[in-house]
Amino acid sequence: MQRYCLDFSHSLHPYCFAFGRRKPVSVLLRQFRLSLFSLLLASLAAHDALARVPLESFASRPWMGQPQISPNGRHIAVPLAGRGGDTVAIYDVDAPPGTKIKGITLISKSFVEWVRWANDERLLVALTIRGAMRRFGRINDISLSYMIAVDRNGTNRTELFANRIRFPQNFDLAEIVDDLPDDPGAILMDARDSTGRDNLYRVDVYTGKVDEIARGSFDTYRWLTDAQGVPRARWDLHDRRQLIEIYLRNGDTEDWNKVVEFGTRDFPPFNFVGFADDPRTAIVASRQTSDRYGLFEYDIATRTLGKPLFQHPTVDVGDPVGGPLYDPVTAKLVGVYFVEDTWHRHYFEPELAGTNQRIEALRPDSAVIKTNSWSRDRKRIVVYTSGPKDPGSYFLYDTDKAGLTPIGSARRDIPASELGEMRPYKYAARDGTQIPAYLTTPPGALARNLPLIVMPHGGPEVRDYVQYDHWVQMLANRGYAVFQPNFRGSGGYGKAFAEAGYRQWGRLMQDDISDGV
């Protein structure tokens, strides 16, 4: 007989079993998975009497996607999920109550990933057609994502990168590199050509015409442009060597030069996140002056770090959460966001800082407040809020009225009363180190003698924070308390905290989890 143990991230102890040599391992593992799945279903069934929200409500796609307001502030485009295919509703903000809402019907059985305004009259819609294929006993995702441009009234549809002969190796053509604020008739997108090179293209949003403006390599996977729309940085991934290289150039005609390389499992010493108004100055997230990532200016010519723009005393502003905030109309840097236990936004401009304070005062219980889009004059702002008891809500903030008008809820079939409270706290590990953690308790239950599920995050150099989590809330709705520790090795708390988990998987990292329990 042989003894095997499987260790699960949600379990404090490994599950061990024994078997002889007659049955193949694959058969026994399949039997084990079925037994484990049966135990899980039985456990959930035991608490199903407490559940008042169907499982499908937690597992389904959000009913409403992220609304976007037009640059002139007159119309809001809202993606809406449907059984036969998604639609995009167009709201006239100034129309009287009861006015019929216009809708754009899209391709049958297509899913809307997002919508954006190219200009006041033209919409960009990212679509995905789901697909899967079984090969060698595995299910492979063969979904296709692409983008269309359409007038606000639903006419003049154009598919971007429609030439499949010229661009045959692209399963995801739904990413915008630059909105080109000074050129409302075009955007910048990257795609692989017929040879496999990833290049940058200017795409006409009316005709779909594509013009190459920069050539990448066979390993390129990401581009970054400056405030004028000139490509300045690119990322190359070498799979075999597990290495990422960042290339930079001083001007639009100069050669690309490698400025940094790092392993795919490492966080870089600094990473480019944008550019200042002066194209000679980049903005980077760096740990070179501190244990934590902050945002700094970076001189492209001398390749030296410049003045700090923002650095938080206890958490990273950068990987794995946090970074720059840009004006959605002009693409200029206007602030930063970071996460302590909840999301925070810090704006550099006093006008935006004041607006942000007024919005937060209207939603004091929201753990996450994001600005989805705003009008060119910044008087009308689409706001997204969420939290443990809010699966996602959208509002229109009008600076003249200083109030929030509801647009809709991402999950209208999950009432707040059926969601659990999520509380942050710190506890002392066995060596005295303070570990941040979060505990969610079932709605309406006395927080005593509850069955507990431990849900450590993945990564490990990522982190949990106060937010709406459909896994957590599904379990809480069925009577479980859910514990989420940010054990040593987690990201977001500085380099030393992350490195304390190096080579400690199943040891110090596991001790931190056990001590929290």
Side-chain angles (χ1 to χ4, degrees), residues 133-158:
M133 178 179 67
R134 181 181 292 276
R135 186 180 184 189
F136 303 125
R138 299 184 64 179
I139 301 296
N140 297 289
D141 183 9
I142 55 170
S143 299
L144 178 66
S145 296
Y146 62 102
M147 195 185 309
I148 65 169
V150 60
D151 286 350
R152 194 181 71 237
N153 60 8
T155 62
N156 298 323
R157 300 188 187 197
T158 301

PDB file of all heavy atoms in Angstrom, residues 133-158:
ATOM      1  N   MET A 133     -13.479  23.849 -26.465  1.00  0.00           N
ATOM      2  CA  MET A 133     -13.184  22.676 -27.272  1.00  0.00           C
ATOM      3  C   MET A 133     -12.481  21.641 -26.406  1.00  0.00           C
ATOM      4  O   MET A 133     -11.555  21.971 -25.659  1.00  0.00           O
ATOM      5  CB  MET A 133     -12.289  23.059 -28.467  1.00  0.00           C
ATOM      6  CG  MET A 133     -11.876  21.888 -29.344  1.00  0.00           C
ATOM      7  SD  MET A 133     -10.854  22.432 -30.735  1.00  0.00           S
ATOM      8  CE  MET A 133      -9.371  22.981 -29.851  1.00  0.00           C
ATOM      9  N   ARG A 134     -12.933  20.412 -26.500  1.00  0.00           N
ATOM     10  CA  ARG A 134     -12.290  19.329 -25.753  1.00  0.00           C
ATOM     11  C   ARG A 134     -11.155  18.752 -26.588  1.00  0.00           C
ATOM     12  O   ARG A 134     -11.336  18.373 -27.743  1.00  0.00           O
ATOM     13  CB  ARG A 134     -13.291  18.241 -25.406  1.00  0.00           C
ATOM     14  CG  ARG A 134     -12.684  17.075 -24.600  1.00  0.00           C
ATOM     15  CD  ARG A 134     -13.717  16.017 -24.295  1.00  0.00           C
ATOM     16  NE  ARG A 134     -14.731  16.495 -23.368  1.00  0.00           N
ATOM     17  CZ  ARG A 134     -14.600  16.493 -22.056  1.00  0.00           C
ATOM     18  NH1 ARG A 134     -13.478  16.038 -21.500  1.00  0.00           N
ATOM     19  NH2 ARG A 134     -15.552  16.935 -21.274  1.00  0.00           N
ATOM     20  N   ARG A 135      -9.968  18.677 -25.982  1.00  0.00           N
ATOM     21  CA  ARG A 135      -8.812  18.124 -26.674  1.00  0.00           C
ATOM     22  C   ARG A 135      -7.930  17.395 -25.661  1.00  0.00           C
ATOM     23  O   ARG A 135      -7.569  17.970 -24.634  1.00  0.00           O
ATOM     24  CB  ARG A 135      -8.014  19.236 -27.362  1.00  0.00           C
ATOM     25  CG  ARG A 135      -6.870  18.717 -28.240  1.00  0.00           C
ATOM     26  CD  ARG A 135      -6.135  19.870 -28.872  1.00  0.00           C
ATOM     27  NE  ARG A 135      -5.100  19.402 -29.779  1.00  0.00           N
ATOM     28  CZ  ARG A 135      -4.183  20.187 -30.353  1.00  0.00           C
ATOM     29  NH1 ARG A 135      -4.196  21.490 -30.118  1.00  0.00           N
ATOM     30  NH2 ARG A 135      -3.277  19.682 -31.152  1.00  0.00           N
ATOM     31  N   PHE A 136      -7.602  16.155 -25.977  1.00  0.00           N
ATOM     32  CA  PHE A 136      -6.781  15.326 -25.099  1.00  0.00           C
ATOM     33  C   PHE A 136      -7.364  15.272 -23.677  1.00  0.00           C
ATOM     34  O   PHE A 136      -6.648  15.339 -22.684  1.00  0.00           O
ATOM     35  CB  PHE A 136      -5.346  15.823 -25.051  1.00  0.00           C
ATOM     36  CG  PHE A 136      -4.685  15.888 -26.405  1.00  0.00           C
ATOM     37  CD1 PHE A 136      -4.112  17.068 -26.851  1.00  0.00           C
ATOM     38  CD2 PHE A 136      -4.647  14.776 -27.236  1.00  0.00           C
ATOM     39  CE1 PHE A 136      -3.515  17.130 -28.098  1.00  0.00           C
ATOM     40  CE2 PHE A 136      -4.045  14.831 -28.485  1.00  0.00           C
ATOM     41  CZ  PHE A 136      -3.478  16.005 -28.921  1.00  0.00           C
ATOM     42  N   GLY A 137      -8.679  15.209 -23.594  1.00  0.00           N
ATOM     43  CA  GLY A 137      -9.322  15.073 -22.302  1.00  0.00           C
ATOM     44  C   GLY A 137      -9.450  16.362 -21.514  1.00  0.00           C
ATOM     45  O   GLY A 137      -9.922  16.346 -20.378  1.00  0.00           O
ATOM     46  N   ARG A 138      -9.054  17.502 -22.108  1.00  0.00           N
ATOM     47  CA  ARG A 138      -9.133  18.786 -21.408  1.00  0.00           C
ATOM     48  C   ARG A 138     -10.041  19.747 -22.164  1.00  0.00           C
ATOM     49  O   ARG A 138     -10.146  19.683 -23.389  1.00  0.00           O
ATOM     50  CB  ARG A 138      -7.734  19.403 -21.253  1.00  0.00           C
ATOM     51  CG  ARG A 138      -6.767  18.556 -20.452  1.00  0.00           C
ATOM     52  CD  ARG A 138      -5.448  19.268 -20.260  1.00  0.00           C
ATOM     53  NE  ARG A 138      -5.624  20.481 -19.480  1.00  0.00           N
ATOM     54  CZ  ARG A 138      -4.616  21.296 -19.150  1.00  0.00           C
ATOM     55  NH1 ARG A 138      -3.390  21.025 -19.533  1.00  0.00           N
ATOM     56  NH2 ARG A 138      -4.838  22.374 -18.421  1.00  0.00           N
ATOM     57  N   ILE A 139     -10.664  20.633 -21.416  1.00  0.00           N
ATOM     58  CA  ILE A 139     -11.507  21.654 -22.016  1.00  0.00           C
ATOM     59  C   ILE A 139     -10.667  22.902 -22.256  1.00  0.00           C
ATOM     60  O   ILE A 139     -10.095  23.467 -21.317  1.00  0.00           O
ATOM     61  CB  ILE A 139     -12.707  21.990 -21.113  1.00  0.00           C
ATOM     62  CG1 ILE A 139     -13.552  20.746 -20.854  1.00  0.00           C
ATOM     63  CG2 ILE A 139     -13.552  23.087 -21.746  1.00  0.00           C
ATOM     64  CD1 ILE A 139     -14.191  20.175 -22.100  1.00  0.00           C
ATOM     65  N   ASN A 140     -10.561  23.334 -23.498  1.00  0.00           N
ATOM     66  CA  ASN A 140      -9.770  24.514 -23.851  1.00  0.00           C
ATOM     67  C   ASN A 140     -10.689  25.664 -24.239  1.00  0.00           C
ATOM     68  O   ASN A 140     -11.666  25.478 -24.981  1.00  0.00           O
ATOM     69  CB  ASN A 140      -8.831  24.195 -25.020  1.00  0.00           C
ATOM     70  CG  ASN A 140      -7.810  23.132 -24.669  1.00  0.00           C
ATOM     71  OD1 ASN A 140      -6.901  23.381 -23.893  1.00  0.00           O
ATOM     72  ND2 ASN A 140      -7.977  21.941 -25.216  1.00  0.00           N
ATOM     73  N   ASP A 141     -10.381  26.834 -23.717  1.00  0.00           N
ATOM     74  CA  ASP A 141     -11.160  28.037 -24.021  1.00  0.00           C
ATOM     75  C   ASP A 141     -10.787  28.545 -25.410  1.00  0.00           C
ATOM     76  O   ASP A 141      -9.624  28.834 -25.689  1.00  0.00           O
ATOM     77  CB  ASP A 141     -10.872  29.112 -22.966  1.00  0.00           C
ATOM     78  CG  ASP A 141     -11.704  30.361 -23.185  1.00  0.00           C
ATOM     79  OD1 ASP A 141     -12.617  30.341 -24.030  1.00  0.00           O
ATOM     80  OD2 ASP A 141     -11.444  31.375 -22.516  1.00  0.00           O
ATOM     81  N   ILE A 142     -11.752  28.633 -26.296  1.00  0.00           N
ATOM     82  CA  ILE A 142     -11.510  29.183 -27.633  1.00  0.00           C
ATOM     83  C   ILE A 142     -12.420  30.393 -27.873  1.00  0.00           C
ATOM     84  O   ILE A 142     -12.859  30.656 -28.980  1.00  0.00           O
ATOM     85  CB  ILE A 142     -11.716  28.125 -28.730  1.00  0.00           C
ATOM     86  CG1 ILE A 142     -13.120  27.497 -28.635  1.00  0.00           C
ATOM     87  CG2 ILE A 142     -10.648  27.046 -28.664  1.00  0.00           C
ATOM     88  CD1 ILE A 142     -13.462  26.614 -29.831  1.00  0.00           C
ATOM     89  N   SER A 143     -12.715  31.116 -26.791  1.00  0.00           N
ATOM     90  CA  SER A 143     -13.548  32.312 -26.906  1.00  0.00           C
ATOM     91  C   SER A 143     -12.851  33.358 -27.759  1.00  0.00           C
ATOM     92  O   SER A 143     -11.624  33.451 -27.784  1.00  0.00           O
ATOM     93  CB  SER A 143     -13.853  32.884 -25.521  1.00  0.00           C
ATOM     94  OG  SER A 143     -14.564  31.959 -24.731  1.00  0.00           O
ATOM     95  N   LEU A 144     -13.635  34.155 -28.443  1.00  0.00           N
ATOM     96  CA  LEU A 144     -13.116  35.187 -29.328  1.00  0.00           C
ATOM     97  C   LEU A 144     -13.626  36.549 -28.871  1.00  0.00           C
ATOM     98  O   LEU A 144     -14.836  36.763 -28.748  1.00  0.00           O
ATOM     99  CB  LEU A 144     -13.561  34.928 -30.770  1.00  0.00           C
ATOM    100  CG  LEU A 144     -13.139  35.959 -31.817  1.00  0.00           C
ATOM    101  CD1 LEU A 144     -11.624  35.945 -31.994  1.00  0.00           C
ATOM    102  CD2 LEU A 144     -13.831  35.707 -33.146  1.00  0.00           C
ATOM    103  N   SER A 145     -12.703  37.476 -28.581  1.00  0.00           N
ATOM    104  CA  SER A 145     -13.061  38.837 -28.185  1.00  0.00           C
ATOM    105  C   SER A 145     -12.666  39.806 -29.300  1.00  0.00           C
ATOM    106  O   SER A 145     -11.578  39.694 -29.865  1.00  0.00           O
ATOM    107  CB  SER A 145     -12.361  39.227 -26.878  1.00  0.00           C
ATOM    108  OG  SER A 145     -12.800  38.411 -25.816  1.00  0.00           O
ATOM    109  N   TYR A 146     -13.549  40.734 -29.586  1.00  0.00           N
ATOM    110  CA  TYR A 146     -13.290  41.700 -30.646  1.00  0.00           C
ATOM    111  C   TYR A 146     -14.043  42.991 -30.331  1.00  0.00           C
ATOM    112  O   TYR A 146     -14.742  43.088 -29.314  1.00  0.00           O
ATOM    113  CB  TYR A 146     -13.716  41.132 -32.005  1.00  0.00           C
ATOM    114  CG  TYR A 146     -15.190  40.816 -32.114  1.00  0.00           C
ATOM    115  CD1 TYR A 146     -16.047  41.679 -32.796  1.00  0.00           C
ATOM    116  CD2 TYR A 146     -15.733  39.672 -31.544  1.00  0.00           C
ATOM    117  CE1 TYR A 146     -17.399  41.396 -32.898  1.00  0.00           C
ATOM    118  CE2 TYR A 146     -17.076  39.390 -31.638  1.00  0.00           C
ATOM    119  CZ  TYR A 146     -17.914  40.259 -32.321  1.00  0.00           C
ATOM    120  OH  TYR A 146     -19.251  39.985 -32.405  1.00  0.00           O
ATOM    121  N   MET A 147     -13.909  43.984 -31.202  1.00  0.00           N
ATOM    122  CA  MET A 147     -14.486  45.284 -30.934  1.00  0.00           C
ATOM    123  C   MET A 147     -15.241  45.798 -32.151  1.00  0.00           C
ATOM    124  O   MET A 147     -14.799  45.613 -33.287  1.00  0.00           O
ATOM    125  CB  MET A 147     -13.393  46.282 -30.555  1.00  0.00           C
ATOM    126  CG  MET A 147     -13.913  47.568 -29.920  1.00  0.00           C
ATOM    127  SD  MET A 147     -12.588  48.778 -29.628  1.00  0.00           S
ATOM    128  CE  MET A 147     -11.389  47.778 -28.751  1.00  0.00           C
ATOM    129  N   ILE A 148     -16.380  46.427 -31.881  1.00  0.00           N
ATOM    130  CA  ILE A 148     -17.101  47.113 -32.937  1.00  0.00           C
ATOM    131  C   ILE A 148     -17.235  48.585 -32.574  1.00  0.00           C
ATOM    132  O   ILE A 148     -17.189  48.957 -31.402  1.00  0.00           O
ATOM    133  CB  ILE A 148     -18.494  46.500 -33.186  1.00  0.00           C
ATOM    134  CG1 ILE A 148     -19.402  46.697 -31.957  1.00  0.00           C
ATOM    135  CG2 ILE A 148     -18.403  45.028 -33.573  1.00  0.00           C
ATOM    136  CD1 ILE A 148     -20.864  46.358 -32.222  1.00  0.00           C
ATOM    137  N   ALA A 149     -17.384  49.415 -33.592  1.00  0.00           N
ATOM    138  CA  ALA A 149     -17.710  50.831 -33.413  1.00  0.00           C
ATOM    139  C   ALA A 149     -19.091  51.052 -34.009  1.00  0.00           C
ATOM    140  O   ALA A 149     -19.426  50.479 -35.064  1.00  0.00           O
ATOM    141  CB  ALA A 149     -16.675  51.711 -34.094  1.00  0.00           C
ATOM    142  N   VAL A 150     -19.915  51.846 -33.341  1.00  0.00           N
ATOM    143  CA  VAL A 150     -21.294  52.042 -33.775  1.00  0.00           C
ATOM    144  C   VAL A 150     -21.744  53.439 -33.381  1.00  0.00           C
ATOM    145  O   VAL A 150     -21.317  53.986 -32.354  1.00  0.00           O
ATOM    146  CB  VAL A 150     -22.206  50.955 -33.149  1.00  0.00           C
ATOM    147  CG1 VAL A 150     -22.155  51.024 -31.618  1.00  0.00           C
ATOM    148  CG2 VAL A 150     -23.631  51.052 -33.655  1.00  0.00           C
ATOM    149  N   ASP A 151     -22.601  54.044 -34.218  1.00  0.00           N
ATOM    150  CA  ASP A 151     -23.160  55.342 -33.870  1.00  0.00           C
ATOM    151  C   ASP A 151     -24.096  55.210 -32.677  1.00  0.00           C
ATOM    152  O   ASP A 151     -24.611  54.127 -32.377  1.00  0.00           O
ATOM    153  CB  ASP A 151     -23.926  55.929 -35.058  1.00  0.00           C
ATOM    154  CG  ASP A 151     -22.996  56.441 -36.152  1.00  0.00           C
ATOM    155  OD1 ASP A 151     -21.771  56.504 -35.900  1.00  0.00           O
ATOM    156  OD2 ASP A 151     -23.483  56.755 -37.251  1.00  0.00           O
ATOM    157  N   ARG A 152     -24.358  56.327 -32.035  1.00  0.00           N
ATOM    158  CA  ARG A 152     -25.179  56.320 -30.834  1.00  0.00           C
ATOM    159  C   ARG A 152     -26.583  55.784 -31.096  1.00  0.00           C
ATOM    160  O   ARG A 152     -27.220  55.197 -30.217  1.00  0.00           O
ATOM    161  CB  ARG A 152     -25.251  57.738 -30.253  1.00  0.00           C
ATOM    162  CG  ARG A 152     -25.795  57.800 -28.841  1.00  0.00           C
ATOM    163  CD  ARG A 152     -25.861  59.221 -28.315  1.00  0.00           C
ATOM    164  NE  ARG A 152     -26.918  59.989 -28.978  1.00  0.00           N
ATOM    165  CZ  ARG A 152     -26.720  61.120 -29.627  1.00  0.00           C
ATOM    166  NH1 ARG A 152     -25.504  61.626 -29.733  1.00  0.00           N
ATOM    167  NH2 ARG A 152     -27.736  61.765 -30.204  1.00  0.00           N
ATOM    168  N   ASN A 153     -27.080  55.937 -32.322  1.00  0.00           N
ATOM    169  CA  ASN A 153     -28.420  55.449 -32.661  1.00  0.00           C
ATOM    170  C   ASN A 153     -28.411  54.007 -33.160  1.00  0.00           C
ATOM    171  O   ASN A 153     -29.436  53.481 -33.588  1.00  0.00           O
ATOM    172  CB  ASN A 153     -29.073  56.356 -33.702  1.00  0.00           C
ATOM    173  CG  ASN A 153     -28.269  56.419 -35.004  1.00  0.00           C
ATOM    174  OD1 ASN A 153     -27.297  55.676 -35.186  1.00  0.00           O
ATOM    175  ND2 ASN A 153     -28.681  57.289 -35.905  1.00  0.00           N
ATOM    176  N   GLY A 154     -27.259  53.348 -33.112  1.00  0.00           N
ATOM    177  CA  GLY A 154     -27.179  51.946 -33.495  1.00  0.00           C
ATOM    178  C   GLY A 154     -26.826  51.679 -34.938  1.00  0.00           C
ATOM    179  O   GLY A 154     -26.760  50.520 -35.358  1.00  0.00           O
ATOM    180  N   THR A 155     -26.580  52.726 -35.724  1.00  0.00           N
ATOM    181  CA  THR A 155     -26.279  52.545 -37.148  1.00  0.00           C
ATOM    182  C   THR A 155     -24.771  52.619 -37.400  1.00  0.00           C
ATOM    183  O   THR A 155     -23.992  52.926 -36.500  1.00  0.00           O
ATOM    184  CB  THR A 155     -26.989  53.618 -37.989  1.00  0.00           C
ATOM    185  OG1 THR A 155     -26.499  54.928 -37.587  1.00  0.00           O
ATOM    186  CG2 THR A 155     -28.491  53.567 -37.772  1.00  0.00           C
ATOM    187  N   ASN A 156     -24.404  52.348 -38.655  1.00  0.00           N
ATOM    188  CA  ASN A 156     -23.005  52.442 -39.111  1.00  0.00           C
ATOM    189  C   ASN A 156     -22.054  51.591 -38.260  1.00  0.00           C
ATOM    190  O   ASN A 156     -21.052  52.074 -37.741  1.00  0.00           O
ATOM    191  CB  ASN A 156     -22.536  53.904 -39.112  1.00  0.00           C
ATOM    192  CG  ASN A 156     -23.343  54.763 -40.066  1.00  0.00           C
ATOM    193  OD1 ASN A 156     -23.727  54.306 -41.143  1.00  0.00           O
ATOM    194  ND2 ASN A 156     -23.624  55.991 -39.670  1.00  0.00           N
ATOM    195  N   ARG A 157     -22.356  50.305 -38.158  1.00  0.00           N
ATOM    196  CA  ARG A 157     -21.500  49.402 -37.395  1.00  0.00           C
ATOM    197  C   ARG A 157     -20.263  49.033 -38.203  1.00  0.00           C
ATOM    198  O   ARG A 157     -20.331  48.764 -39.390  1.00  0.00           O
ATOM    199  CB  ARG A 157     -22.245  48.121 -37.024  1.00  0.00           C
ATOM    200  CG  ARG A 157     -23.467  48.364 -36.183  1.00  0.00           C
ATOM    201  CD  ARG A 157     -24.043  47.059 -35.687  1.00  0.00           C
ATOM    202  NE  ARG A 157     -25.316  47.282 -35.021  1.00  0.00           N
ATOM    203  CZ  ARG A 157     -25.903  46.418 -34.227  1.00  0.00           C
ATOM    204  NH1 ARG A 157     -25.322  45.248 -34.001  1.00  0.00           N
ATOM    205  NH2 ARG A 157     -27.052  46.679 -33.658  1.00  0.00           N
ATOM    206  N   THR A 158     -19.138  49.012 -37.505  1.00  0.00           N
ATOM    207  CA  THR A 158     -17.871  48.633 -38.119  1.00  0.00           C
ATOM    208  C   THR A 158     -17.109  47.732 -37.158  1.00  0.00           C
ATOM    209  O   THR A 158     -16.938  48.086 -35.988  1.00  0.00           O
ATOM    210  CB  THR A 158     -17.013  49.871 -38.437  1.00  0.00           C
ATOM    211  OG1 THR A 158     -17.729  50.744 -39.316  1.00  0.00           O
ATOM    212  CG2 THR A 158     -15.699  49.461 -39.096  1.00  0.00           C
TER     213      THR A 158
END
